[in-house]
Amino acid sequence: MARQAATTSRSVTIKDVARGAGVSVATVSRVLNDSGPVREATRRRVWEVASSLRYTPNEAARSLITRSTRTLGVVLPDLHGEFFSEVIRGIDQRAQQERFHLLVSGSHNERQEIEAALRAMRRRVDGLVLMSPDIDAAGLEANLPHNLPLVLLNCAIGATAVPTITIDNFGGATAMVRHLVGLGHRRIGFIAGPARNYDAAERLRGYREAMREAGLDPAGSEEPGDFTESGGHRGAARLLARPARPTAIFAANDAMAVGAMSALREAGVSIPDDVAVAGFDDIPIARYLSPALTSVHVPIAELGARAVERLFSALAGRAERARRPEVLGTRLVVRRSCGASA
């Protein structure tokens, strides 16, 4: 009784667990870190003693010993919205398979916030996933250790040895415009994404290329946007106010397409009978809108999962393979917002 009282009156250590389980400190360490062979009966006894003593490992000390935090950093432009939720879901699912945890931060597309988030991740994570339109090679060099495994998502920072994963934004946008042209549309309005954003720039480039390919002039058919529902609403309202309003509106992401559909309904415009609407990303809610939204499908969760897979490759020493640039394909998903039968 006196021994138990003495133990509970101070912080429980790994030595207390070892003493209670009748094993060595090394055995307790192997059990808690799942880092070596231990008989099942011994493993159960160690966990029972650790639980009864309410032992909490000193993560800081453990990371100093193992040189690993078993934590991955994630810096995204925003944490709001289905796109970023799906990216995080993919990252988390793959990380959990290896018993890694996440340290997540939003940069709000501000360079100072991005660099502050990068500095905050130093020495706290074993690898980092970064999605940012406002970072460059100099910013990475100044704010991250050179040996920290890093994967860039949808970034364009020029020549660099940092591994990158991007989406075939250009191909997806051209496929959508070709689909709309194939339905007979000649006035196809486009609501673009934010300036300096790599995805937005590539989708705009794809729209313009496909319009010219069809013998159509994209000039005068574009409206600025910001990847938000309100931005899509404003863009659609401006397109409707034009003397020759479009018969189809292609928004550079689904969030803006949702806003555009709201603006059309407010104006008494029928979708798709009067104006067809299409988006990009194919976020989970797209299929449940009324009418269901035609979109360019992006494997969003896979994007996050692949980034973690690349980090694990780097951590395992497969550096050359991990540095290869990777492009994830897209595909057209046709639904009722463009007059499809499904």
Side-chain angles (χ1 to χ4, degrees):
M1 182 68 71
R3 179 182 294 242
Q4 183 178 6
T7 300
T8 55
S9 66
R10 59 177 173 77
S11 296
V12 178
T13 70
I14 193 171
K15 291 181 179 179
D16 296 320
V17 178
R19 188 180 303 113
V23 298
S24 68
V25 169
T27 297
V28 175
S29 178
R30 286 196 295 271
V31 171
L32 299 182
N33 292 309
D34 194 21
S35 60
V38 179
R39 287 187 299 178
E40 187 58 33
T42 302
R43 185 183 302 277
R44 284 199 302 269
R45 188 164 70 253
V46 168
W47 277 115
E48 288 170 0
V49 172
S51 177
S52 67
L53 294 178
R54 298 182 180 179
Y55 172 67
T56 302
N58 186 323
E59 295 296 338
R62 183 158 68 180
S63 66
L64 286 173
I65 295 171
T66 64
R67 297 182 181 273
S68 172
T69 65
R70 298 200 70 80
T71 302
L72 300 178
V74 183
V75 180
L76 301 177
D78 202 340
L79 304 182
H80 171 73
E82 284 199 86
F83 182 90
F84 296 116
S85 295
E86 281 293 289
V87 171
I88 293 174
R89 184 173 71 87
I91 291 172
D92 183 60
Q93 287 181 339
R94 183 64 187 92
Q96 283 294 315
Q97 291 174 4
E98 303 295 331
R99 299 185 181 180
F100 272 68
H101 298 282
L102 302 182
L103 185 59
V104 182
S105 179
S107 67
H108 311 290
N109 280 332
E110 296 181 10
R111 187 179 180 88
Q112 289 184 339
E113 288 295 321
I114 296 166
E115 295 184 351
L118 295 181
R119 290 192 296 272
M121 297 287 180
R122 291 187 297 196
R123 293 183 296 277
R124 296 184 180 183
V125 299
D126 294 337
L128 178 65
V129 177
L130 172 63
M131 179 187 293
S132 169
D134 290 322
I135 197 67
D136 53 24
L140 294 176
E141 180 72 22
N143 294 284
L144 288 176
H146 75 278
N147 60 344
L148 179 69
L150 171 67
V151 174
L152 300 177
L153 295 183
N154 299 353
C155 296
I157 64 172
T160 176
V162 178
T164 59
I165 305 177
T166 56
I167 297 165
D168 184 14
N169 294 288
F170 177 84
T174 56
M176 180 60 77
V177 173
R178 288 168 182 165
H179 173 70
L180 294 173
V181 169
L183 293 175
H185 295 285
R186 307 295 290 174
R187 297 194 304 275
I188 303 171
F190 185 73
I191 306 175
R196 306 190 323 276
N197 183 284
Y198 174 77
D199 290 336
E202 285 296 286
R203 293 172 191 184
L204 177 60
R205 187 170 71 89
Y207 163 78
R208 289 173 173 172
E209 180 72 18
M211 289 285 282
R212 296 188 183 103
E213 175 189 277
L216 305 174
D217 185 3
S221 299
E222 302 167 9
E223 286 290 343
D226 57 7
F227 278 171
T228 68
E229 291 86 350
S230 59
H233 189 282
R234 289 191 298 271
R238 287 192 292 263
L239 287 170
L240 287 179
R242 296 186 176 195
R245 78 181 188 189
T247 61
I249 294 176
F250 178 21
N253 78 338
D254 287 349
M256 292 195 300
V258 170
M261 292 172 75
S262 177
L264 293 176
R265 282 192 291 268
E266 290 172 8
V269 175
S270 176
I271 308 169
D273 297 334
D274 298 327
V275 176
V277 178
F280 204 117
D281 288 336
D282 193 27
I283 58 178
I285 199 175
R287 73 193 67 180
Y288 300 113
L289 296 172
S290 182
L293 179 64
T294 291
S295 187
V296 176
H297 177 79
V298 173
I300 307 173
E302 182 184 345
L303 180 68
R306 286 295 303 141
V308 175
E309 188 64 39
R310 299 287 289 276
L311 286 181
F312 287 152
S313 291
L315 289 170
R318 299 190 295 271
E320 289 306 316
R321 178 181 178 185
R323 288 195 185 105
R324 296 176 188 171
E326 185 174 355
V327 179
L328 295 185
T330 58
R331 60 182 172 84
L332 202 62
V333 179
V334 178
R335 301 191 180 101
R336 292 186 182 275
S337 70
C338 284
S341 59

